């Protein structure tokens, strides 16, 4: 069987770049590119906790010089019986793995971004990067995570959307192994950054936080904070304190 043709980094990042004006945004363009790793090198993964229109977790897997990305609304569950929705989004540059900070109100994805977990992963079959490509193409990707929080065997199973204009819908499911736990054990236990050790509120309030600007349309996946009906805990507390002060 002939080898599957690899898509270039530039082609994979076309949608990411199309949605951003790098004359206005400080987000990494990925122009420098990252070469695909050979089988003996470890593939990186990162999970970013993101308080945008709705709080969610962004799972990113390194493959062919980019980060294949899924938005997981409720975050990963270490309980095999609890299947978590994972919506595949556009590929991101590998440089995106270093970001932790805030995206301003009124901008695409406005809110706080935390580096919630990071490490390396490998296909469960042990057959290297080609096995990851095949798993994504098939819609059945079995991997083993070696992170600070994500550990053991998991599977991403595509349920719909392949080949259509809609974003592919997947399920993120834990396999049975020694790392099985209660449904909310991960998201409720770990509430700080694996890098800065800060909470979401501390990251959002830090004067040293990186700030990214983007001109992406508000009707895209992550609407600006200004259009959100729900607010972060920190925003709610500040609003209550302001109201209480006025009432004095």
């Amino acid at each position: 069987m002939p080898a599957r043709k690899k898509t270039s980094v530039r082609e994979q990042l076309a949608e990411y770049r199309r949605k951003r004006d790098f004359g206005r945004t400080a987000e990494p363009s990925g122009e420098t590119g990252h070469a695909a790793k050979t089988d003996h090198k470890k593939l990186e993964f990162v999970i970013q906790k993101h308080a945008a229109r709705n709080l969610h977790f962004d799972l990113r897997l390194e493959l062919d010089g980019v980060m294949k990305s899924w938005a997981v609304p409720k975050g990963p569950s270490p309980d095999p019986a609890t299947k978590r929705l994972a919506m595949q989004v556009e590929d991101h540059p590998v440089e995106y793995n270093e970001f932790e900070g805030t995206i301003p109100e009124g901008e695409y994805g406005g809110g706080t971004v935390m580096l919630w977990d990071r490490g390396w992963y490998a296909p469960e079959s042990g057959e290297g990067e080609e096995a990851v490509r095949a798993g994504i193409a098939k819609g059945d990707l079995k991997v083993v995570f070696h992170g600070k929080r994500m550990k053991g065997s998991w599977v991403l199973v595509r349920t719909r959307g392949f080949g259509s204009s809609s974003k592919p819908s997947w399920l993120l499911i834990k396999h049975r192994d020694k790392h099985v736990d209660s449904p909310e054990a991960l998201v409720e236990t770990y509430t700080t950054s694996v890098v800065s050790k800060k909470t979401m509120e501390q990251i959002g309030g830090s004067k040293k936080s990186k700030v990214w600007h983007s001109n992406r349309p508000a009707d895209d996946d992550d609407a600006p904070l200004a259009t959100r009906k729900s607010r972060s805990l920190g925003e709610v507390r500040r609003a209550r304190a302001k109201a209480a002060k006025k009432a004095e």
Side-chain angles (χ1 to χ4, degrees):
M1 181 180 293
R4 187 179 288 103
K5 182 180 179 181
K6 297 180 183 178
T7 307
S8 70
V9 171
R10 178 174 291 278
E11 290 174 305
Q12 291 177 91
L13 294 179
E15 182 180 358
Y16 173 88
R17 290 175 177 147
R18 177 180 60 79
K19 293 179 177 178
R20 292 161 172 83
D21 180 355
F22 295 104
R24 299 175 59 187
T25 179
E27 291 173 274
S29 67
E31 284 289 348
T32 56
H34 279 69
K37 293 186 177 180
T38 56
D39 288 346
H40 69 277
K41 293 185 179 179
K42 295 176 180 178
L43 295 168
E44 296 179 3
F45 87 89
V46 67
I47 296 181
Q48 288 162 313
K49 188 175 181 179
H50 187 184
R53 176 174 55 191
N54 295 299
L55 182 67
H56 65 277
F57 292 74
D58 292 311
L59 168 63
R60 310 192 195 283
L61 305 179
E62 182 185 8
L63 182 67
D64 293 331
V66 300
M67 301 303 292
K68 299 295 182 182
S69 300
W70 290 261
V72 185
K74 294 184 178 181
S77 169
D79 177 9
T82 304
K83 302 174 177 63
R84 289 290 165 83
L85 174 66
M87 299 300 296
Q88 190 170 1
V89 298
E90 72 271 18
D91 299 338
H92 282 52
V94 172
E95 296 92 329
Y96 214 99
N97 293 3
E98 301 299 320
F99 177 66
E100 177 173 285
T102 59
I103 301 172
E105 293 186 19
E107 302 290 340
Y108 165 72
T112 303
V113 177
M114 171 195 286
L115 281 167
W116 185 81
D117 197 16
R118 67 194 316 177
W120 63 279
Y121 81 99
E124 193 175 72
S125 66
E127 296 176 359
E129 198 165 329
E130 181 56 35
V132 180
R133 293 189 201 101
I136 291 177
K138 184 180 178 181
D140 184 9
L141 176 60
K142 298 179 178 69
V143 299
V144 178
F145 286 109
H146 301 270
K148 294 180 181 297
R149 296 165 181 176
M150 290 285 284
K151 298 179 183 295
S153 179
W154 298 66
V155 62
L156 275 162
V157 181
R158 189 171 55 233
T159 59
R160 65 174 176 79
F162 182 68
S164 70
S165 59
S166 63
K167 291 185 176 176
S169 175
W170 300 62
L171 292 175
L172 176 63
I173 308 168
K174 182 75 183 74
H175 280 166
R176 293 196 177 278
D177 58 22
K178 66 179 181 180
H179 301 292
V180 166
D181 208 332
S182 60
E184 305 300 326
L186 288 174
V187 297
E188 290 188 358
T189 300
Y190 301 109
T191 58
T192 59
S193 164
V194 292
V195 175
S196 67
K197 311 304 179 185
K198 293 181 179 180
T199 64
M200 293 291 279
E201 288 76 14
Q202 289 171 330
I203 294 169
S206 173
K207 293 182 180 179
K208 295 182 179 180
S209 292
K210 296 178 183 178
V211 177
W212 286 359
H213 296 271
S214 173
N215 70 333
R216 290 181 68 176
D219 61 352
D220 217 320
D221 299 312
D222 295 313
L225 274 171
T227 66
R228 288 189 294 163
K229 293 182 179 180
S230 61
R231 296 180 293 176
S232 69
L233 180 58
E235 289 178 295
V236 172
R237 286 174 175 170
R238 287 192 291 273
R240 288 175 177 172
K242 186 175 181 180
K245 188 174 181 179
K246 285 183 177 180
E248 291 178 351

